[in-house]
Amino acid sequence: MAKKFKAVELFLAVGLAVSVAACGPAATDGGEGGEGASTESVEGGEGGEGGEGGEGGEGGEGGEGGEGGEGGEGGEGGEGGEGASTEDFKWAGTFDNVEILSEFTENVVLPQYGQFSGETAALSTAIDAFVASPSDATLDAVKSEWAAARTSWEQTETFAFGPAGALGFDGAMDSWPVNKTDIDAILASDDAVDEAAVAGLGDTERGMHAIEYIIFGTEGANKPVADFSDRELAFLQGLGADLATQAAALLSSWTDGVNGQAPYSEVFTTAGTDGNNIYPTVFAGSQELLVGIIDSLTEVGEDKLEAAFIDQDVTSLESYFSQQTLQNDLTSNLQSAENGYIGSFPGGSSQAAVSISDYIAGIDPAVDSEVKASIADAKAALAAIPLPLEESLVDPEAKDEIEAAVEAILTVKDTISEKVIPLI
């Protein structure tokens, strides 16, 4: 889901935006009607004031002014930003282990973005094969590659800071909800739908969910091959190629930099060095990572699962076209939070030599054990929800399992907020 522009401190957001906002190939739309950036009050540390909310997308009012990044169009008249929310975290302000930031970057961020770029390239190739020879087999291959790319992307949730938000990659690839009305209008028109044309579309008309809408349809994720028009096939090709281009560019922004700017991996891993205006202290870098972990847990527990359950709104589930929200989105977001905490990339069997977990264990082993146990409980609780979530969400017999999963996920969030943050 294209998220609000995240920043721990106002200068973190503004500094990157000023230096690279005009450099990237991604669209500048924020995707969904952007909420204001969350604001964390920092007590006891050197971090500055939290960033104020960005502007809302069309159809709603923005947060309170500020440079927090512009919200894009609301899908199908989606709501605009709600303004900045404030949450007080009791930071110790003592974190100074830059090796943890470097190990996280090398063993989690870069491998995960690399995997995602590879998965989107494979998806584009599968789409090409389906367009060349439409069949159940080639369509199944597209669906499989879409699910792989989706899972990989959702595991990047914890580090959606930096280029993903500031350069618009998140919005260009993962805006939700998609604007079905506009997509249908594009399909009914004679406008170009190749990769170049897709790159010029609004965020809610492109990306992973636009592809999902076309390949799975809206009835039981079982759209037959015979229902694909030539126009849909052409648009699907343009969408797949654009997604792969965006994913490769996001990876490059971390590994190579854009338009002469330093690679973001270098920016993040040199936190605290002279001249680093985005992360002037190592502590500022640790805040970025910890807030990313907490935001990922908020996303999966509150925004994606609890809200949909309370509203009993299946259509608000992010991957409801494919009926894979639980597997691809919720489970992967939780995995992303764990990856950030323990410094691991399970899919690539990469493990940081030192992590936030190690740092906490060195101060209070009981807290570290509690975090790990709560994550394991949350994973088990999610796995206990009957599949597909798109059916169990409104099934009274699944009520207990869903409520237990929400509680377990928010327990992880509370444990990190209340017991880990005060040690950072």
Side-chain angles (χ1 to χ4, degrees):
M1 178 185 294
K3 297 194 295 297
K4 57 196 174 186
F5 194 97
K6 296 196 301 184
V8 177
E9 300 166 280
L10 181 58
F11 63 81
L12 301 188
V14 177
L16 181 62
V18 168
S19 64
V20 297
C23 301
T28 56
D29 284 13
E32 302 173 84
E35 297 180 4
S38 62
T39 305
E40 283 69 37
S41 292
V42 180
E43 297 188 8
E46 299 180 24
E49 298 178 356
E52 295 182 356
E55 298 177 4
E58 295 179 8
E61 295 181 0
E64 298 178 351
E67 301 285 342
E70 239 181 311
E73 299 173 67
E76 299 185 82
E79 296 180 0
E82 298 176 358
S85 62
T86 303
E87 185 170 3
D88 293 331
F89 291 144
K90 310 299 183 181
W91 302 93
T94 56
F95 185 93
D96 62 357
N97 192 332
V98 74
E99 183 185 3
I100 290 177
L101 304 184
S102 297
E103 287 289 309
F104 172 70
T105 301
E106 291 300 318
N107 292 280
V108 182
V109 178
L110 299 183
Q112 190 73 66
Y113 277 147
Q115 183 191 72
F116 175 62
S117 181
E119 296 288 6
T120 58
L123 172 59
S124 182
T125 298
I127 289 173
D128 289 342
F130 173 58
V131 171
S133 181
S135 68
D136 289 341
T138 53
L139 177 57
D140 286 345
V142 171
K143 291 178 177 179
S144 178
E145 292 295 351
W146 179 86
R150 183 76 196 150
T151 297
S152 184
W153 170 253
E154 289 298 286
Q155 288 191 24
T156 71
E157 190 85 20
T158 292
F159 44 94
F161 50 79
L167 299 184
F169 292 111
D170 193 356
M173 296 189 291
D174 191 26
S175 282
W176 175 257
V178 295
N179 193 323
K180 293 187 292 183
T181 300
D182 283 358
I183 290 175
D184 290 344
I186 291 168
L187 291 170
S189 75
D190 294 325
D191 296 342
V193 288
D194 58 8
E195 180 182 359
V198 169
L201 295 176
D203 286 353
T204 58
E205 301 162 352
R206 63 199 285 217
M208 280 176 279
H209 292 301
I211 294 173
E212 181 192 16
Y213 173 53
I214 291 177
I215 65 176
F216 288 97
T218 58
E219 299 296 330
N222 194 29
K223 182 178 180 179
V225 174
D227 283 3
F228 284 82
S229 67
D230 290 343
R231 181 73 173 167
E232 284 179 312
L233 294 176
F235 189 29
L236 191 58
Q237 262 189 306
L239 290 168
D242 175 65
L243 179 64
T245 295
Q246 298 298 328
L250 175 55
L251 173 62
S252 182
S253 71
W254 276 81
T255 58
D256 304 316
V258 291
N259 288 12
Q261 300 295 325
Y264 204 74
S265 60
E266 181 180 321
V267 174
F268 190 58
T269 59
T270 59
T273 60
D274 291 342
N276 191 327
N277 296 320
I278 297 179
Y279 303 106
T281 64
V282 178
F283 170 58
S286 73
Q287 285 181 288
E288 187 84 281
L289 174 53
L290 265 297
V291 170
I293 292 171
I294 291 169
D295 280 356
S296 188
L297 294 166
T298 302
E299 184 94 356
V300 61
E302 297 178 10
D303 300 341
K304 292 184 177 180
L305 182 56
E306 185 179 40
F309 178 65
I310 290 172
D311 294 341
Q312 288 289 279
D313 182 7
V314 171
T315 66
S316 70
L317 295 172
E318 192 171 0
S319 293
Y320 90 93
F321 295 130
S322 62
Q323 297 194 354
Q324 295 177 22
T325 300
L326 179 57
Q327 310 95 297
N328 298 345
D329 295 77
L330 306 186
T331 301
S332 296
N333 287 164
L334 179 58
Q335 183 66 60
S336 182
E338 181 180 40
N339 293 351
Y341 183 72
I342 67 175
S344 176
F345 173 50
S349 63
S350 178
Q351 177 63 55
V354 62
S355 66
I356 293 293
S357 171
D358 296 318
Y359 182 84
I360 298 302
I363 301 173
D364 191 334
V367 169
D368 178 61
S369 296
E370 185 176 351
V371 172
K372 290 177 178 176
S374 68
I375 292 173
D377 289 345
K379 284 184 169 182
L382 272 181
I385 298 175
L387 291 173
L389 178 61
E390 287 72 15
E391 293 180 6
S392 62
L393 186 79
V394 294
D395 182 355
E397 294 188 359
K399 176 178 181 291
D400 290 346
E401 285 83 357
I402 294 174
E403 289 179 340
V406 170
E407 181 179 357
I409 293 162
L410 296 185
T411 295
V412 183
K413 175 188 173 182
D414 291 344
T415 302
I416 292 176
S417 300
E418 298 168 8
K419 297 186 179 183
V420 172
I421 291 293
L423 301 178
I424 296 295

